[in-house]
Amino acid sequence: MIRPLAFSLTLVAAASLTACDNGKDGTSISINATDTDGNSVALVDGKTGQMSLNVPGFSGKITLPKIKLDADNFDMNGVHLYPGSTISGMNVDARDNGGKEKDSGVVKVNFESPATPDTVRGWFLEKLNGNAKFKVKEGGNGLIGTTDEGKPFKLDLAPDGAGKSKGVIILGS
């Protein structure tokens, strides 16, 4: 689950780089991957547009147009973020365990939604337990459970002004 998502996020980021810089903050993205060849890190600063890459044999920084990811740029088995949501930050921490066991990792997504926490929670509860085949239930300030692959899933929500909310999705362990 984590490896295809990391690859998808990299493609989304690369494709989005052609967007115009509108002067507003973009989405901050970090991708950390560890495998038998070493540690690789890619960062995009949503405030400045600066991208840095550090992989075995290469390191560099460039400034690109800021990108802003929204609900349609994130997908969990066909379930996007609540309509109208925007992603403020994304962290992908992928780990290759050298073939000893399945690859593991964690994906963390910070987002803002144009609806109350209760509305967003109910929307995700219905969608994730439906076609996405997750097994989630209400817990704490959001949802807890597992993905269709049995990986941990957590959604935390908090109010963010009148009729709005901020959320964090954590996939993996």
Side-chain angles (χ1 to χ4, degrees):
M1 177 183 95
I2 301 302
R3 201 171 280 270
L5 182 57
F7 180 71
S8 297
L9 295 175
T10 303
L11 288 178
V12 166
S16 300
L17 294 177
T18 59
C20 295
D21 183 354
N22 61 11
K24 296 182 181 178
D25 286 348
T27 302
S28 293
I29 301 170
S30 68
I31 300 173
N32 306 306
T34 303
D35 64 15
T36 56
D37 295 327
N39 193 30
S40 301
V41 178
L43 303 167
V44 177
D45 185 327
K47 293 186 186 293
T48 66
Q50 185 174 37
M51 183 182 101
S52 60
L53 182 63
N54 186 359
V55 297
F58 176 79
S59 178
K61 292 182 182 183
I62 57 173
T63 301
L64 301 166
K66 296 176 207 165
I67 59 171
K68 187 66 173 175
L69 302 178
D70 61 25
D72 293 333
N73 299 121
F74 184 74
D75 182 312
M76 298 176 291
N77 290 2
V79 176
H80 296 277
L81 294 179
Y82 184 85
S85 297
T86 58
I87 299 172
S88 58
M90 185 174 297
N91 180 292
V92 179
D93 183 4
R95 291 175 231 130
D96 180 355
N97 295 318
K100 296 177 186 159
E101 56 187 80
K102 284 191 169 188
D103 293 345
S104 61
V106 176
V107 175
K108 181 179 177 183
V109 179
N110 297 74
F111 65 96
E112 291 85 29
S113 289
T116 66
D118 287 341
T119 300
V120 174
R121 181 185 311 109
W123 187 87
F124 271 116
L125 185 64
E126 176 186 337
K127 300 287 185 185
L128 291 175
N129 282 332
N131 292 339
K133 299 181 180 164
F134 282 35
K135 294 179 183 169
V136 296
K137 62 182 179 181
E138 290 189 30
N141 296 324
L143 301 173
I144 57 170
T146 58
T147 68
D148 64 319
E149 296 177 339
K151 304 278 185 181
F153 172 87
K154 184 175 182 181
L155 167 68
D156 282 321
L157 294 163
D160 188 33
K164 296 180 181 180
S165 57
K166 282 189 175 188
V168 178
I169 292 174
I170 300 173
L171 293 160
S173 58

